[in-house]
Amino acid sequence: MAIPTDDRKRALLIGVEVKQSRPLFNVEESMAELARLADTAGVQVVGEISQRVDRIHPATFIGSGKAAEVRLLAEEAEAELVIFDDELSPRHQRELQEVLGEGALILDRTALILDIFAQHAHTREGQLQVELAQLEYRLPRLTRMWTHLARQAGGRAGGRHGGVGLRGPGETQLEVDHRIISQRIDRLKAEIEKVRAHRGRYRARRRRSAIPVVAIVGYTNAGKSTLLNHLSGATVRTGDKLFATLDPTTRRVRLPSGHEALFTDTVGFIQKLPTTVVVAFQATLEEITEADLLLHIVDASHPQAAAQVEAVEETLAELEIDTIPTIIALNKIDLLDGGKLSVDYEGASAISALTGAGMQELLERTDRELSSTWVRIDVVIPYQQGALAALFHDKGVVEQETHTDAGVRILGKVPGRLAYRFQQPEQ
Ligand SMILES: Nc1nc2c(ncn2[C@@H]2O[C@H](COP(=O)(O)OP(=O)(O)OP(=O)(O)O)[C@@H](O)[C@H]2O)c(=O)[nH]1
Ligand SMILES: [Mg+2]
């Protein structure tokens, strides 16, 4: 048995694959990813169990026999945490708790990812969003798992309930916890709304500058931040760990044509992440939704590159942003050592964000794509530049037009190749 060498929490990982199902990742691949997530979260993996089953057990997820086995193994390996590779329902959580015993802390993939997010959120908005996502994840589980969660919360909620208890301490505690969390959720939403309004004003100004926006999207650890740093000299933290980036960063990049574009680095995607959690990341989503072009970065050196591409495409589709024109860039080609790419997509560019290989071609491609797509702009055209306003009407789609002291303000879309004509100095 491994001798504990550090003070990290010790975890046992559990994964299942339902026979006949066709998951993007098989159970071994998914478990390898879970182990990386655990490591990123600062947890020491001391064992793992994975199995193929006919169906998910409605009560204990893995079946009570297997659950008893897990308990034994957890005790043997001195694991305080048992982490499941799939999202557990409140019922699964409760029943597993019974079998595994009060002492075991049961987590699932979603909770683990939220924990990593909490560690990696650096901006105020990011922190607010993560807390909101965590509470929303916990609320439905709280109803049936109050004892477990009250313990996790360090008894804070329990302290508040004091001696109140007409209907029995359990139920009262549950209600108190529920109310405290609901109130906190409302407060968080209000605060997030304020930060969003501020960012909305910033983006409106940005749109007025008529610079097209390129959102860098992709699976976590694909090299998105490294690419932004390479292109713009930004200093976004990168690292060989999952979800290094949570808060979006935007930088101006000059394209080979001489025109400029704004590149935005966003949070990575991962398989099995519920869309509800992704949706919590409004900041990132708004950046992506308003982009004129998506740059989908793929880690071409990863053995599951193709499955990762599919997972990203699925998420984009669920978020209904799969209509934005997309360029695929196969990254990390420096690691291929002359070997062949394991994936290929029509028109994909092969690059290395680390060495800069293929970068010129990627930027030229970005230039071409942008000039053939529509760019949203909001511009004030001085009255003496009537020809420019006429050009907007002629070639663009005017959605709103108002007359101001400074000139005619037009909101709408123009073909990317013309957007630059409307560029205004930053205000
Ligand atoms: N060899 C090689 N490594 C790369 C390349 N691009 C990125 N990496 C490495 O891959 C790891 C992940 O890079 P990041 O830029 O942090 O990836 P990301 O997509 O921003 O990841 P998240 O923010 O965690 O979603 C880092 O260790 C990078 O140094 C590349 O072209 N070649
Ligand atoms: Mg990153």
Side-chain angles (χ1 to χ4, degrees), residues 302-334:
H302 198 285
Q304 275 80 54
Q308 294 188 343
V309 168
E310 269 192 66
V312 169
E313 287 177 346
E314 270 180 16
T315 308
L316 291 173
E318 278 167 34
L319 298 170
E320 295 175 4
I321 37 187
D322 51 339
T323 49
I324 302 174
T326 305
I327 294 180
I328 292 193
L330 302 171
N331 189 32
K332 308 197 188 179
I333 51 160
D334 56 297

Side-chain angles (χ1 to χ4, degrees), residues 217-229:
V217 298
Y219 210 77
T220 182
N221 207 48
K224 301 177 293 298
S225 304
T226 307
L227 178 70
L228 183 75
N229 289 348

Side-chain angles (χ1 to χ4, degrees), residues 38 53 74 78-79 94 108 133 162 174 184 197 256 342-343 357 363:
V53 297
E78 291 175 31
R94 189 187 64 229
D108 61 16
L174 173 65
R184 178 83 190 135
S342 63
V343 281
L363 290 180

Side-chain angles (χ1 to χ4, degrees), residues 220-221 223-226 236-239 243-246 265-268:
T220 182
N221 207 48
K224 301 177 293 298
S225 304
T226 307
V236 178
R237 226 174 301 204
T238 63
F243 299 114
T245 309
L246 201 56
D265 179 26
T266 64
V267 65

Side-chain angles (χ1 to χ4, degrees), residues 209-214 255 260-263 292 370 375 416 419-420 423:
S209 66
I211 301 181
V213 176
V214 180
L255 299 172
E260 287 184 323
L262 292 172
F263 281 67
D292 301 294
L370 280 177
V375 175
Y420 312 103
Q423 272 183 19

Side-chain angles (χ1 to χ4, degrees), residues 55 72 131 292 329:
R55 61 182 186 115
L72 276 181
E131 192 183 345
D292 301 294

